[in-house]
Amino acid sequence: MKTTRLSTILRRSCAVLLTMCLLACTLCGCTGEESGGNVTKKKDNNKIQIGMTFDSFVIERWQRDRDVFVSMAKELGAEVNIQNANGDISEQKKQIEYFIKKGMDVIVIVCIDSMAVKANIQKAKESGIKVIAYDRLISDSNVDFYISFDNEKVGQMMGQALVDQGLTNGKVLMVCGPHSDNNVPMVGKGFKEIMQENGNEIIDTFYADGWKAELATDYMEKNMSSVIECDAIMCGNDDLASRVVTALSEKRLAGKKLVVGQDADLEACQRIVEGTQLMTVYKPIEKLAQAAAEIAVKMAKGEEVTTQSGQISTISDGTYEIPCVKIDPVSVTAENMDEVIIKSGFHLKEDVYLNVHE
């Protein structure tokens, strides 16, 4: 009798225990589709992990770079962790350290200050993590790869646009980005070469710390005598150019001073067809970001790095010769706006010509 009762109790206990186990499996997701499931965890660990830290997203183009890079990386089977340093180099250094602790396969850096992250990059490399300098060269750090546009050619295109417009033996102002961005002296070198070849004098050069466009406004207001004296203004990017043209408009000088920039921001393209900015340099961001994603994945897999976007060469970071790809930019004026910008789908025609009335 006691034996029969004991057996009944044991059967009931087993049934209750089985029911609880089934309920727990239902709640937790035994298929491993939830983030805590062992199956998913193993799957995630098998995926290539890429960490990407941006200077900021204040400049219009960086949002495009981000979206294209992430899309291509996912297509190639990698996961991307995007971080935004908001122009703070201390924050960017913390983000690199975070990526190291997370055990990323590759870290991609849009660097704020090319001299400040050397130790962080060295630590990443010692941890077996590949490092790619994206768009901006990082000094003396021996990164595994550098991919950007041909920045000297960008400067040459800016200068040539002014010369083609008839500027010889003239006076020019340069409103540039910060010294800490290695692209700035590269662009400046190309621009100055063209100016010197055509007898143009650079009467002043201003460097906007952190690419802060409002600093260009301050410069224009405080140096209006030089602004009035000059024939042309070279702007380090279209964001700076927007403030320069606004300042010129307030003095009724917009369209009377030749203004050039780069990045092909929508507002810059609008100004070009309106006649207040002469040209911008279009940099095919899709090509750059896609190539960078392909290179990152190949590096993570230990494969030979190749790309269809440009020939692989080397460049000095000041101490080391590092492999690089430089993608060709395109000069954009009102004459080829439709062919380059509209046809490529970079901006819509109705947006570019929004303020132009036929």
Side-chain angles (χ1 to χ4, degrees):
M1 187 75 171
K2 290 182 179 179
T3 303
T4 303
R5 184 177 298 175
L6 179 60
S7 298
T8 302
I9 293 171
L10 287 173
R11 284 197 301 271
R12 288 177 178 174
S13 298
C14 288
V16 170
L17 182 60
L18 179 60
T19 301
M20 292 176 65
C21 288
L22 290 172
L23 180 61
C25 286
T26 302
L27 292 174
C28 294
C30 290
T31 60
E33 291 177 355
E34 297 295 329
S35 60
N38 289 333
V39 174
T40 298
K41 197 167 186 179
K42 184 176 180 182
K43 180 182 175 183
D44 288 346
N45 287 340
N46 286 337
K47 281 191 174 182
I48 293 168
Q49 302 292 321
I50 302 172
M52 191 172 193
T53 170
F54 279 86
D55 174 344
S56 75
F57 293 124
V58 173
I59 296 174
E60 179 183 311
R61 63 155 289 196
W62 292 131
Q63 298 174 43
R64 287 178 179 265
D65 290 80
R66 174 199 61 198
D67 295 345
V68 174
F69 184 94
V70 170
S71 177
M72 176 57 71
K74 285 184 176 180
E75 187 176 318
L76 296 172
E79 292 184 345
V80 185
N81 185 320
I82 296 291
Q83 297 288 321
N84 176 13
N86 287 311
D88 185 340
I89 185 59
S90 297
E91 184 62 27
Q92 187 163 63
K93 293 173 74 172
K94 290 177 184 176
Q95 290 169 359
I96 297 171
E97 291 296 318
Y98 166 73
F99 288 147
I100 295 171
K101 290 179 182 178
K102 293 283 287 184
M104 294 290 169
D105 297 295
V106 182
I107 298 175
V108 183
I109 304 172
V110 182
C111 193
I112 297 171
D113 186 337
S114 66
M115 300 297 293
V117 295
K118 181 178 179 180
N120 308 90
I121 291 173
Q122 183 60 36
K123 185 175 178 180
K125 290 171 68 67
E126 289 172 355
S127 300
I129 301 172
K130 300 295 185 181
V131 179
I132 296 175
Y134 185 92
D135 193 71
R136 299 172 179 172
L137 185 62
I138 304 174
S139 300
D140 307 321
S141 297
N142 197 24
V143 296
D144 296 285
F145 209 92
Y146 166 60
I147 182 165
S148 185
F149 297 99
D150 190 329
N151 289 294
E152 283 192 30
K153 186 174 287 188
V154 169
Q156 291 167 355
M157 286 179 169
M158 289 177 166
Q160 193 59 50
L162 295 177
V163 172
D164 291 346
Q165 193 66 17
L167 185 65
T168 56
N169 301 313
K171 296 184 177 181
V172 182
L173 290 178
M174 293 179 66
V175 179
C176 307
H179 288 288
S180 57
D181 184 338
N182 261 324
N183 287 356
V184 171
M186 292 182 190
V187 173
K189 179 182 178 183
F191 181 78
K192 290 174 183 177
E193 285 176 358
I194 302 299
M195 292 299 94
Q196 291 169 2
E197 289 172 3
N198 292 275
N200 293 308
E201 178 189 359
I202 297 170
I203 60 175
D204 195 20
T205 303
F206 172 71
Y207 296 92
D209 185 45
W211 288 101
K212 296 174 183 174
E214 61 269 22
L215 297 180
T217 300
D218 294 340
Y219 172 79
M220 294 288 285
E221 291 174 351
K222 294 175 182 177
N223 295 272
M224 193 50 64
S225 59
S226 296
V227 172
I228 293 171
E229 181 185 0
C230 78
D231 301 293
I233 303 174
M234 175 275 210
C235 300
N237 68 12
D238 288 333
D239 201 23
L240 295 174
S242 67
R243 299 304 184 98
V244 166
V245 172
T246 297
L248 290 173
S249 297
E250 291 173 354
K251 298 295 181 180
R252 297 184 179 180
L253 293 172
K256 297 179 181 179
K257 306 291 182 180
L258 301 175
V259 177
V260 295
Q262 67 165 316
D263 287 342
D265 287 355
L266 175 58
E267 289 186 5
C269 292
Q270 290 172 339
R271 290 193 295 270
I272 290 170
V273 297
E274 292 164 16
T276 56
Q277 182 169 327
L278 175 63
M279 67 82 73
T280 186
V281 179
Y282 166 62
K283 299 183 290 189
I285 291 167
E286 286 78 6
K287 186 181 290 187
L288 177 73
Q290 288 174 355
E294 291 170 353
I295 290 167
V297 170
K298 286 180 178 179
M299 281 188 162
K301 292 181 177 179
E303 297 176 356
E304 180 184 0
V305 175
T306 58
T307 176
Q308 300 297 317
S309 298
Q311 184 177 356
I312 295 177
S313 58
T314 61
I315 189 172
S316 174
D317 69 359
T319 303
Y320 306 93
E321 290 290 325
I322 58 174
C324 73
V325 165
K326 296 179 182 179
I327 296 173
D328 286 333
V330 182
S331 178
V332 178
T333 62
E335 285 68 32
N336 68 347
M337 180 67 69
D338 289 6
E339 179 67 23
V340 177
I341 299 299
I342 308 303
K343 191 173 180 180
S344 69
F346 193 71
H347 294 307
L348 297 176
K349 184 170 184 177
E350 54 264 36
D351 291 336
V352 171
Y353 291 90
L354 180 66
N355 303 316
V356 177
H357 305 287
E358 297 181 1

